[in-house]
Amino acid sequence: MNENMKEREFQIIPPPYRIKVVELLSSEQIDIADNRERREKAIKQAGYNTFLLKENQVYIDFLTDSGTNAMSDNQWAGMMLGDEAYAGSKNFYHLEKAMRDVYGYRYLVPTHQGRAAEHMMSELLIQPGDFVPNNMYFTTRRVHQELAGATWVDVSIDEAHEPETWHPFKGNVDITKLDALIREVGAGKIPYMSLEANVNMAGGQPFSMENLRALKALCDRHRIPIMLDGTRLVENAYCIQQREDGYQNRSVRQIAREICSCTGGVTVSGKKDTLVNIGGFLACNDKKLFLEARAMVVVYEGLHTYGGMSGRDMEAMARGIYEMVQDRHVAARVNQVEYLGHQLIQAGVPVVVPIGGHAVFLDASRFLPHIPQEQYPAQALSAALYVESGIRGMERGLVSSGRDPITGQERKPKLELVRLAIPRRGYTHTDMDFVAQAIVRLYRARDKISGLQMGYEPKRLRFFQARFKPVGAKLMG
Ligand SMILES: *Cc1c(COP(=O)(O)O)cnc(C)c1O
Protein backbone atom coordinates (compact mmCIF):
# COMPACT_ATOMS: atom_id res chain seq x y z
CA MET A 1 0.00 0.00 0.00
CA ASN A 2 2.83 2.41 0.83
CA GLU A 3 4.51 1.95 -2.52
CA ASN A 4 1.24 2.39 -4.37
CA MET A 5 0.72 5.68 -2.64
CA LYS A 6 4.10 6.86 -3.74
CA GLU A 7 3.88 5.96 -7.39
CA ARG A 8 0.24 6.71 -8.03
CA GLU A 9 -0.20 8.91 -11.05
CA PHE A 10 -1.88 12.20 -10.31
CA GLN A 11 -5.50 12.41 -11.45
CA ILE A 12 -7.28 15.69 -11.13
CA ILE A 13 -10.74 15.76 -9.50
CA PRO A 14 -12.69 18.88 -10.50
CA PRO A 15 -14.62 20.65 -7.75
CA PRO A 16 -18.41 20.33 -7.40
CA TYR A 17 -19.15 24.06 -7.68
CA ARG A 18 -18.96 27.08 -9.97
CA ILE A 19 -17.79 30.51 -8.87
CA LYS A 20 -20.59 33.08 -8.66
CA VAL A 21 -18.98 35.79 -6.51
CA VAL A 22 -15.30 36.67 -6.17
CA GLU A 23 -13.41 38.64 -3.54
CA LEU A 24 -11.39 41.39 -5.21
CA LEU A 25 -7.85 41.98 -4.01
CA SER A 26 -6.95 45.56 -3.14
CA SER A 27 -4.52 47.56 -5.27
CA GLU A 28 -2.14 47.32 -2.31
CA GLN A 29 -2.20 43.53 -2.49
CA ILE A 30 -1.51 43.59 -6.22
CA ASP A 31 1.31 46.02 -5.59
CA ILE A 32 2.81 43.79 -2.90
CA ALA A 33 2.65 40.88 -5.32
CA ASP A 34 4.75 42.86 -7.82
CA ASN A 35 7.21 44.54 -5.48
CA ARG A 36 9.86 42.59 -3.61
CA GLU A 37 11.22 45.62 -1.76
CA ARG A 38 7.82 46.26 -0.23
CA ARG A 39 7.62 42.66 0.89
CA GLU A 40 11.07 42.88 2.49
CA LYS A 41 9.98 45.94 4.40
CA ALA A 42 6.68 44.39 5.43
CA ILE A 43 8.20 41.20 6.85
CA LYS A 44 10.81 43.18 8.75
CA GLN A 45 8.08 45.32 10.30
CA ALA A 46 6.24 42.12 11.19
CA GLY A 47 9.25 40.81 13.12
CA TYR A 48 9.68 38.02 10.53
CA ASN A 49 6.50 36.44 11.85
CA THR A 50 3.87 35.83 9.17
CA PHE A 51 1.14 36.03 11.84
CA LEU A 52 1.99 39.71 12.25
CA LEU A 53 1.57 40.67 8.58
CA LYS A 54 -1.53 42.61 7.67
CA GLU A 55 -3.86 40.94 5.22
CA ASN A 56 -3.40 43.76 2.70
CA GLN A 57 0.32 42.89 2.63
CA VAL A 58 -0.43 39.32 1.56
CA TYR A 59 -1.06 38.11 -1.98
CA ILE A 60 -1.90 34.43 -1.52
CA ASP A 61 -2.89 33.56 2.01
CA PHE A 62 -2.09 30.01 3.03
CA LEU A 63 -1.54 30.95 6.68
CA THR A 64 -4.45 28.78 7.69
CA ASP A 65 -7.56 27.00 6.49
CA SER A 66 -9.28 28.21 9.64
CA GLY A 67 -12.29 30.44 9.06
CA THR A 68 -11.01 31.27 5.59
CA ASN A 69 -13.27 28.92 3.65
CA ALA A 70 -15.67 30.14 0.98
CA MET A 71 -19.27 29.59 1.99
CA SER A 72 -21.77 28.31 -0.55
CA ASP A 73 -24.82 30.14 -1.90
CA ASN A 74 -26.86 27.77 0.24
CA GLN A 75 -24.98 28.84 3.37
CA TRP A 76 -25.26 32.53 2.52
CA ALA A 77 -29.00 32.08 1.98
CA GLY A 78 -29.11 30.52 5.44
CA MET A 79 -27.42 33.61 6.90
CA MET A 80 -30.52 35.60 5.99
CA LEU A 81 -32.60 33.22 8.05
CA GLY A 82 -30.66 33.92 11.24
CA ASP A 83 -32.92 33.93 14.28
CA GLU A 84 -31.16 36.18 16.76
CA ALA A 85 -33.34 35.35 19.75
CA TYR A 86 -31.24 35.28 22.91
CA ALA A 87 -32.77 31.98 23.99
CA GLY A 88 -33.96 29.04 21.91
CA SER A 89 -32.98 30.32 18.44
CA LYS A 90 -34.37 28.01 15.76
CA ASN A 91 -30.92 27.92 14.17
CA PHE A 92 -29.57 26.22 17.30
CA TYR A 93 -32.05 23.39 16.76
CA HIS A 94 -31.01 23.14 13.10
CA LEU A 95 -27.40 22.89 14.22
CA GLU A 96 -28.26 20.31 16.85
CA LYS A 97 -30.11 18.23 14.26
CA ALA A 98 -27.23 18.47 11.77
CA MET A 99 -24.74 17.42 14.45
CA ARG A 100 -26.88 14.44 15.47
CA ASP A 101 -27.52 13.42 11.83
CA VAL A 102 -23.88 13.55 10.80
CA TYR A 103 -21.69 13.08 13.89
CA GLY A 104 -24.27 11.09 15.82
CA TYR A 105 -23.58 12.31 19.37
CA ARG A 106 -26.51 12.85 21.71
CA TYR A 107 -25.69 16.26 23.19
CA LEU A 108 -24.43 19.55 21.75
CA VAL A 109 -22.90 22.58 23.45
CA PRO A 110 -22.10 25.37 20.95
CA THR A 111 -19.04 27.60 21.41
CA HIS A 112 -17.55 30.58 19.60
CA GLN A 113 -14.73 28.39 18.29
CA GLY A 114 -12.83 25.16 18.93
CA ARG A 115 -10.57 26.23 21.78
CA ALA A 116 -13.54 27.21 23.93
CA ALA A 117 -14.79 23.63 23.64
CA GLU A 118 -11.27 22.38 24.45
CA HIS A 119 -11.18 24.61 27.50
CA MET A 120 -14.44 23.18 28.83
CA MET A 121 -13.52 19.59 28.10
CA SER A 122 -10.12 19.97 29.80
CA GLU A 123 -11.47 21.78 32.87
CA LEU A 124 -14.29 19.30 33.35
CA LEU A 125 -12.41 16.05 32.86
CA ILE A 126 -8.85 16.68 34.04
CA GLN A 127 -7.62 16.68 37.65
CA PRO A 128 -4.21 18.21 38.43
CA GLY A 129 -1.59 15.46 38.18
CA ASP A 130 -3.41 13.58 35.41
CA PHE A 131 -1.85 12.42 32.15
CA VAL A 132 -3.49 12.94 28.77
CA PRO A 133 -2.21 10.82 25.89
CA ASN A 134 -2.46 12.43 22.45
CA ASN A 135 -1.58 11.37 18.91
CA MET A 136 1.00 14.17 18.68
CA TYR A 137 -0.46 17.50 19.76
CA PHE A 138 -2.50 20.43 18.65
CA THR A 139 -1.37 23.80 20.05
CA THR A 140 -4.61 24.94 21.70
CA ARG A 141 -5.71 21.46 22.78
CA ARG A 142 -2.43 20.84 24.58
CA VAL A 143 -2.35 24.26 26.21
CA HIS A 144 -5.81 23.67 27.72
CA GLN A 145 -4.84 20.21 28.93
CA GLU A 146 -1.77 21.68 30.60
CA LEU A 147 -3.62 24.65 32.09
CA ALA A 148 -6.02 22.14 33.67
CA GLY A 149 -3.01 20.48 35.34
CA ALA A 150 -2.36 17.50 33.06
CA THR A 151 0.88 16.25 31.59
CA TRP A 152 0.70 15.84 27.83
CA VAL A 153 2.01 12.49 26.59
CA ASP A 154 2.71 11.79 22.93
CA VAL A 155 1.53 8.32 21.90
CA SER A 156 1.73 8.82 18.14
CA ILE A 157 3.54 6.21 16.04
CA ASP A 158 7.22 6.93 15.33
CA GLU A 159 6.51 7.33 11.61
CA ALA A 160 4.42 10.43 12.40
CA HIS A 161 7.71 12.22 13.12
CA GLU A 162 9.42 11.07 9.92
CA PRO A 163 8.65 13.47 7.07
CA GLU A 164 10.08 11.15 4.40
CA THR A 165 8.21 7.96 5.31
CA TRP A 166 5.31 7.08 3.02
CA HIS A 167 3.08 5.65 5.75
CA PRO A 168 -0.62 5.84 4.83
CA PHE A 169 -1.79 6.41 8.43
CA LYS A 170 0.69 8.59 10.28
CA GLY A 171 -2.12 9.77 12.56
CA ASN A 172 -2.27 6.32 14.16
CA VAL A 173 -1.82 5.82 17.88
CA ASP A 174 1.03 3.57 18.97
CA ILE A 175 -1.00 1.13 21.05
CA THR A 176 2.13 -0.16 22.79
CA LYS A 177 3.08 3.34 23.95
CA LEU A 178 -0.41 3.90 25.30
CA ASP A 179 -0.42 0.52 27.02
CA ALA A 180 2.93 1.35 28.63
CA LEU A 181 1.57 4.68 29.89
CA ILE A 182 -1.48 2.97 31.41
CA ARG A 183 0.79 0.48 33.19
CA GLU A 184 3.07 3.22 34.41
CA VAL A 185 0.59 5.76 35.78
CA GLY A 186 -2.61 3.71 36.06
CA ALA A 187 -5.86 4.19 34.17
CA GLY A 188 -7.24 6.27 37.06
CA LYS A 189 -4.76 9.02 36.18
CA ILE A 190 -5.84 9.12 32.53
CA PRO A 191 -9.14 11.00 32.21
CA TYR A 192 -9.34 10.45 28.44
CA MET A 193 -7.43 9.57 25.32
CA SER A 194 -7.19 12.70 23.17
CA LEU A 195 -7.42 11.65 19.52
CA GLU A 196 -7.03 14.12 16.68
CA ALA A 197 -8.39 13.41 13.22
CA ASN A 198 -6.02 14.17 10.32
CA VAL A 199 -3.23 15.22 12.65
CA ASN A 200 -2.20 18.72 11.71
CA MET A 201 1.24 18.73 13.32
CA ALA A 202 2.20 15.48 11.61
CA GLY A 203 1.39 17.08 8.27
CA GLY A 204 -2.37 16.53 8.00
CA GLN A 205 -2.17 12.77 8.47
CA PRO A 206 -5.07 10.38 9.16
CA PHE A 207 -5.54 7.45 11.52
CA SER A 208 -7.00 4.22 10.19
CA MET A 209 -10.21 2.59 11.29
CA GLU A 210 -8.25 -0.53 12.17
CA ASN A 211 -6.09 1.53 14.54
CA LEU A 212 -9.12 3.24 16.03
CA ARG A 213 -10.76 -0.12 16.73
CA ALA A 214 -7.60 -1.40 18.45
CA LEU A 215 -7.41 1.82 20.42
CA LYS A 216 -11.04 1.50 21.47
CA ALA A 217 -10.51 -2.08 22.61
CA LEU A 218 -7.63 -1.03 24.86
CA CYS A 219 -9.41 2.06 26.17
CA ASP A 220 -12.64 0.13 26.83
CA ARG A 221 -10.71 -2.42 28.88
CA HIS A 222 -9.47 0.38 31.12
CA ARG A 223 -12.64 2.49 30.98
CA ILE A 224 -10.79 5.40 29.40
CA PRO A 225 -13.05 7.39 27.07
CA ILE A 226 -11.71 8.51 23.69
CA MET A 227 -12.28 12.22 23.15
CA LEU A 228 -11.95 13.18 19.53
CA ASP A 229 -10.64 16.40 18.09
CA GLY A 230 -13.01 16.20 15.12
CA THR A 231 -11.95 19.46 13.52
CA ARG A 232 -10.73 17.63 10.40
CA LEU A 233 -12.97 14.58 10.68
CA VAL A 234 -14.14 14.37 7.08
CA GLU A 235 -10.66 14.67 5.62
CA ASN A 236 -9.62 11.73 7.82
CA ALA A 237 -12.72 9.80 6.70
CA TYR A 238 -11.87 10.47 3.06
CA CYS A 239 -8.32 9.16 3.53
CA ILE A 240 -9.76 5.97 5.05
CA GLN A 241 -12.05 5.59 2.05
CA GLN A 242 -9.09 5.99 -0.32
CA ARG A 243 -6.47 3.99 1.56
CA GLU A 244 -7.98 1.37 3.86
CA ASP A 245 -9.13 -2.04 2.69
CA GLY A 246 -12.86 -2.53 2.98
CA TYR A 247 -13.82 1.14 2.87
CA GLN A 248 -13.77 1.89 -0.87
CA ASN A 249 -17.53 1.57 -1.15
CA ARG A 250 -18.43 3.41 2.00
CA SER A 251 -19.34 7.10 1.82
CA VAL A 252 -17.35 9.75 3.67
CA ARG A 253 -20.46 10.39 5.71
CA GLN A 254 -20.73 6.74 6.78
CA ILE A 255 -17.05 6.57 7.67
CA ALA A 256 -17.16 9.83 9.62
CA ARG A 257 -20.11 8.47 11.58
CA GLU A 258 -18.27 5.24 12.29
CA ILE A 259 -15.29 7.19 13.67
CA CYS A 260 -17.52 9.20 15.99
CA SER A 261 -19.31 6.06 17.16
CA CYS A 262 -16.00 4.78 18.58
CA THR A 263 -15.60 7.87 20.76
CA GLY A 264 -17.36 9.36 23.76
CA GLY A 265 -17.29 12.95 22.64
CA VAL A 266 -15.72 15.55 20.41
CA THR A 267 -14.49 19.09 20.26
CA VAL A 268 -14.78 20.78 16.88
CA SER A 269 -13.48 23.99 15.43
CA GLY A 270 -16.21 24.82 12.95
CA LYS A 271 -13.75 27.03 11.09
CA LYS A 272 -12.28 24.07 9.21
CA ASP A 273 -14.39 21.12 7.96
CA THR A 274 -17.78 22.69 8.60
CA LEU A 275 -17.09 25.47 6.10
CA VAL A 276 -17.83 28.55 8.17
CA ASN A 277 -15.88 31.59 9.28
CA ILE A 278 -16.48 31.25 13.01
CA GLY A 279 -17.95 28.70 15.40
CA GLY A 280 -17.33 25.45 17.19
CA PHE A 281 -18.84 23.00 19.60
CA LEU A 282 -18.46 20.27 22.15
CA ALA A 283 -20.63 17.20 21.67
CA CYS A 284 -20.83 14.04 23.73
CA ASN A 285 -22.96 11.10 24.79
CA ASP A 286 -22.40 11.41 28.54
CA LYS A 287 -25.22 13.32 30.15
CA LYS A 288 -23.17 14.37 33.17
CA LEU A 289 -20.42 15.91 31.02
CA PHE A 290 -23.07 17.59 28.90
CA LEU A 291 -24.84 19.16 31.87
CA GLU A 292 -21.56 20.40 33.32
CA ALA A 293 -20.44 21.84 29.98
CA ARG A 294 -23.80 23.50 29.50
CA ALA A 295 -23.48 25.08 32.94
CA MET A 296 -19.97 26.25 32.11
CA VAL A 297 -20.71 27.65 28.66
CA VAL A 298 -22.96 30.34 30.16
CA VAL A 299 -20.01 31.59 32.23
CA TYR A 300 -17.50 31.87 29.41
CA GLU A 301 -19.35 31.97 26.10
CA GLY A 302 -23.04 32.81 26.19
CA LEU A 303 -26.35 31.05 26.65
CA HIS A 304 -26.31 27.34 25.82
CA THR A 305 -28.43 27.86 22.71
CA TYR A 306 -25.83 30.06 21.03
CA GLY A 307 -22.55 29.72 22.95
CA GLY A 308 -20.86 32.73 21.39
CA MET A 309 -22.29 32.35 17.88
CA SER A 310 -25.01 34.43 16.30
CA GLY A 311 -28.09 32.68 14.95
CA ARG A 312 -26.94 33.20 11.38
CA ASP A 313 -23.55 31.67 12.18
CA MET A 314 -25.28 28.58 13.53
CA GLU A 315 -27.44 28.29 10.43
CA ALA A 316 -24.41 28.53 8.13
CA MET A 317 -22.69 25.86 10.18
CA ALA A 318 -25.71 23.54 10.14
CA ARG A 319 -25.79 23.78 6.35
CA GLY A 320 -22.00 23.44 6.13
CA ILE A 321 -22.15 20.17 8.09
CA TYR A 322 -24.32 18.60 5.39
CA GLU A 323 -22.11 19.99 2.60
CA MET A 324 -18.85 18.85 4.18
CA VAL A 325 -19.73 15.15 4.08
CA GLN A 326 -20.52 15.07 0.37
CA ASP A 327 -17.98 12.74 -1.21
CA ARG A 328 -17.20 14.93 -4.19
CA HIS A 329 -16.61 17.98 -2.01
CA VAL A 330 -14.02 16.24 0.17
CA ALA A 331 -12.42 14.47 -2.77
CA ALA A 332 -11.92 17.70 -4.72
CA ARG A 333 -10.68 19.55 -1.64
CA VAL A 334 -8.03 16.99 -0.77
CA ASN A 335 -7.17 16.57 -4.44
CA GLN A 336 -6.39 20.28 -4.80
CA VAL A 337 -3.94 20.04 -1.91
CA GLU A 338 -2.36 16.97 -3.54
CA TYR A 339 -2.14 18.84 -6.84
CA LEU A 340 0.16 21.42 -5.25
CA GLY A 341 2.13 18.80 -3.33
CA HIS A 342 2.59 16.67 -6.43
CA GLN A 343 4.20 19.54 -8.33
CA LEU A 344 6.67 20.15 -5.50
CA ILE A 345 7.57 16.47 -5.24
CA GLN A 346 8.16 16.37 -9.01
CA ALA A 347 10.54 19.34 -8.68
CA GLY A 348 12.47 17.70 -5.83
CA VAL A 349 11.37 20.16 -3.13
CA PRO A 350 11.41 18.44 0.29
CA VAL A 351 7.86 18.12 1.61
CA VAL A 352 6.15 15.87 4.14
CA VAL A 353 4.75 12.75 2.49
CA PRO A 354 2.08 11.60 1.99
CA ILE A 355 0.64 15.03 1.18
CA GLY A 356 -1.78 16.02 3.95
CA GLY A 357 -5.52 16.54 3.71
CA HIS A 358 -5.58 20.28 4.29
CA ALA A 359 -2.06 21.51 3.68
CA VAL A 360 1.28 20.97 2.05
CA PHE A 361 4.13 21.00 4.55
CA LEU A 362 7.59 22.10 3.43
CA ASP A 363 10.31 20.25 5.31
CA ALA A 364 12.49 23.12 6.51
CA SER A 365 15.18 20.82 7.95
CA ARG A 366 15.95 19.47 4.49
CA PHE A 367 15.13 22.72 2.65
CA LEU A 368 17.60 24.71 4.82
CA PRO A 369 20.13 22.16 6.13
CA HIS A 370 22.62 24.97 6.80
CA ILE A 371 20.37 26.53 9.48
CA PRO A 372 20.52 24.81 12.91
CA GLN A 373 17.24 24.22 14.74
CA GLU A 374 18.14 26.87 17.36
CA GLN A 375 17.91 29.43 14.55
CA TYR A 376 14.33 28.51 13.71
CA PRO A 377 14.71 27.24 10.13
CA ALA A 378 10.95 26.87 9.58
CA GLN A 379 10.34 30.41 10.78
CA ALA A 380 13.06 31.66 8.43
CA LEU A 381 11.62 29.68 5.53
CA SER A 382 8.10 31.03 6.05
CA ALA A 383 9.50 34.58 6.08
CA ALA A 384 11.63 33.91 2.99
CA LEU A 385 8.68 32.48 1.09
CA TYR A 386 6.78 35.67 1.77
CA VAL A 387 9.70 37.80 0.56
CA GLU A 388 10.00 35.66 -2.57
CA SER A 389 6.38 35.77 -3.61
CA GLY A 390 3.87 37.39 -1.22
CA ILE A 391 2.63 33.95 -0.20
CA ARG A 392 1.90 33.57 3.50
CA GLY A 393 2.46 30.24 5.23
CA MET A 394 3.02 29.37 8.89
CA GLU A 395 5.87 27.98 10.98
CA ARG A 396 5.16 24.57 12.52
CA GLY A 397 8.40 23.72 14.29
CA LEU A 398 10.39 24.85 17.30
CA VAL A 399 8.56 28.16 17.65
CA SER A 400 5.11 26.49 17.64
CA SER A 401 6.30 23.77 19.96
CA GLY A 402 7.16 26.32 22.67
CA ARG A 403 8.63 25.62 26.09
CA ASP A 404 8.10 22.87 28.61
CA PRO A 405 5.87 24.43 31.31
CA ILE A 406 7.94 22.86 34.12
CA THR A 407 11.56 23.10 32.97
CA GLY A 408 11.14 26.19 30.80
CA GLN A 409 13.33 24.55 28.15
CA GLU A 410 12.38 24.79 24.48
CA ARG A 411 10.65 21.55 23.39
CA LYS A 412 12.60 20.54 20.32
CA PRO A 413 10.23 18.82 17.89
CA LYS A 414 11.53 16.36 15.31
CA LEU A 415 9.67 18.21 12.61
CA GLU A 416 10.59 21.69 11.36
CA LEU A 417 7.83 22.49 8.91
CA VAL A 418 6.26 25.36 7.03
CA ARG A 419 2.58 24.75 6.58
CA LEU A 420 0.80 25.96 3.49
CA ALA A 421 -2.81 25.45 4.49
CA ILE A 422 -5.29 25.76 1.69
CA PRO A 423 -8.67 27.33 2.44
CA ARG A 424 -11.59 25.24 1.23
CA ARG A 425 -13.18 26.37 -2.06
CA GLY A 426 -11.23 29.66 -2.01
CA TYR A 427 -8.40 29.28 -4.53
CA THR A 428 -8.07 27.91 -8.06
CA HIS A 429 -5.55 25.53 -9.56
CA THR A 430 -3.89 28.55 -11.22
CA ASP A 431 -3.06 29.80 -7.74
CA MET A 432 -1.53 26.40 -6.96
CA ASP A 433 0.63 26.63 -10.09
CA PHE A 434 1.82 30.10 -9.08
CA VAL A 435 2.69 28.90 -5.57
CA ALA A 436 4.56 25.86 -6.88
CA GLN A 437 6.64 28.03 -9.20
CA ALA A 438 7.54 30.44 -6.41
CA ILE A 439 8.60 27.64 -4.08
CA VAL A 440 10.74 25.98 -6.73
CA ARG A 441 12.44 29.33 -7.37
CA LEU A 442 13.07 29.79 -3.66
CA TYR A 443 14.43 26.27 -3.37
CA ARG A 444 17.06 27.09 -5.99
CA ALA A 445 18.09 30.16 -3.97
CA ARG A 446 17.92 28.41 -0.59
CA ASP A 447 21.62 28.94 0.26
CA LYS A 448 20.96 32.67 0.56
CA ILE A 449 18.45 32.30 3.41
CA SER A 450 19.77 33.04 6.91
CA GLY A 451 18.55 31.85 10.33
CA LEU A 452 16.67 33.90 12.90
CA GLN A 453 17.01 34.74 16.57
CA MET A 454 14.09 35.55 18.84
CA GLY A 455 13.53 39.12 20.02
CA TYR A 456 10.17 39.16 21.79
CA GLU A 457 8.72 35.95 23.20
CA PRO A 458 5.22 35.66 24.73
CA LYS A 459 4.74 33.13 27.52
CA ARG A 460 2.05 30.92 25.94
CA LEU A 461 1.29 30.06 22.30
CA ARG A 462 4.34 32.15 21.47
CA PHE A 463 4.19 31.52 17.72
CA PHE A 464 1.26 33.91 17.34
CA GLN A 465 3.08 37.04 18.50
CA ALA A 466 6.83 36.34 18.74
CA ARG A 467 9.24 38.68 16.94
CA PHE A 468 12.55 37.76 15.33
CA LYS A 469 15.72 39.19 13.78
CA PRO A 470 17.96 37.67 11.13
CA VAL A 471 21.16 36.13 12.50
CA GLY A 472 23.09 37.68 9.61
CA ALA A 473 22.65 41.19 8.28
CA LYS A 474 19.64 40.21 6.15
CA LEU A 475 17.14 37.37 5.88
CA MET A 476 18.15 36.75 2.28
CA GLY A 477 21.70 37.76 1.49
C1 LIG B 1 -8.17 25.07 14.69
C2 LIG B 1 -8.06 23.86 15.52
C3 LIG B 1 -8.38 23.87 16.88
C4 LIG B 1 -8.77 25.14 17.62
O1 LIG B 1 -9.93 25.68 17.13
P1 LIG B 1 -10.18 27.27 17.04
O2 LIG B 1 -11.50 27.34 16.34
O3 LIG B 1 -9.06 27.88 16.27
O4 LIG B 1 -10.25 27.77 18.43
C5 LIG B 1 -8.29 22.68 17.56
N1 LIG B 1 -7.87 21.54 16.97
C6 LIG B 1 -7.54 21.51 15.68
C7 LIG B 1 -7.10 20.23 15.06
C8 LIG B 1 -7.62 22.66 14.91
O5 LIG B 1 -7.26 22.62 13.63
Side-chain angles (χ1 to χ4, degrees), residues 309-431:
M309 279 185 278
S310 62
R312 53 182 177 269
D313 292 334
M314 292 191 284
E315 187 61 34
M317 192 193 259
R319 292 174 183 221
I321 286 173
Y322 291 111
E323 289 176 17
M324 78 176 182
V325 285
Q326 288 170 14
D327 279 46
R328 192 47 172 279
H329 159 71
V330 197
R333 186 278 188 285
V334 174
N335 183 260
Q336 190 185 41
V337 180
E338 287 173 343
Y339 174 79
L340 173 58
H342 181 73
Q343 292 191 51
L344 297 176
I345 291 172
Q346 295 289 307
V349 176
V351 294
V352 175
V353 292
I355 298 300
H358 66 299
V360 173
F361 290 76
L362 304 178
D363 183 353
S365 313
R366 280 183 292 149
F367 203 114
L368 302 174
H370 57 285
I371 301 183
Q373 191 170 25
E374 303 78 64
Q375 294 179 10
Y376 310 108
Q379 189 74 34
L381 182 55
S382 64
L385 179 60
Y386 172 75
V387 169
E388 180 62 33
S389 58
I391 299 163
R392 172 156 70 169
M394 178 198 291
E395 193 264 7
R396 294 273 90 151
L398 181 54
V399 182
S400 296
S401 194
R403 290 179 185 276
D404 185 292
I406 293 167
T407 66
Q409 293 296 308
E410 283 188 319
R411 296 193 253 221
K412 289 202 172 165
K414 293 207 180 84
L415 299 177
E416 273 295 318
L417 309 176
V418 172
R419 187 183 79 169
L420 302 169
I422 301 176
R424 294 163 190 77
R425 308 193 291 206
Y427 285 94
T428 66
H429 288 71
T430 315
D431 294 306

Side-chain angles (χ1 to χ4, degrees), residues 113-115 118 138 140 196 229 231-232 269 271-272:
Q113 55 185 84
R115 69 197 71 183
E118 293 168 343
F138 188 80
T140 56
E196 183 182 336
D229 182 341
T231 299
R232 294 194 173 82
S269 167
K271 304 173 71 172
K272 324 295 188 352

Side-chain angles (χ1 to χ4, degrees), residues 126-134 145 149-153 181 184-193 224:
I126 293 169
Q127 300 293 327
D130 281 352
F131 295 82
V132 181
N134 287 259
Q145 290 167 3
T151 301
W152 162 81
V153 182
L181 177 72
E184 191 190 324
V185 305
K189 284 273 181 208
I190 303 177
Y192 59 95
M193 164 72 214
I224 298 169

Side-chain angles (χ1 to χ4, degrees), residues 294-310:
R294 202 172 65 156
M296 197 171 180
V297 82
V298 297
V299 178
Y300 290 105
E301 296 281 294
L303 196 75
H304 58 274
T305 57
Y306 71 87
M309 279 185 278
S310 62

Side-chain angles (χ1 to χ4, degrees), residues 92 253 319 390:
F92 167 75
R253 183 165 172 171
R319 292 174 183 221

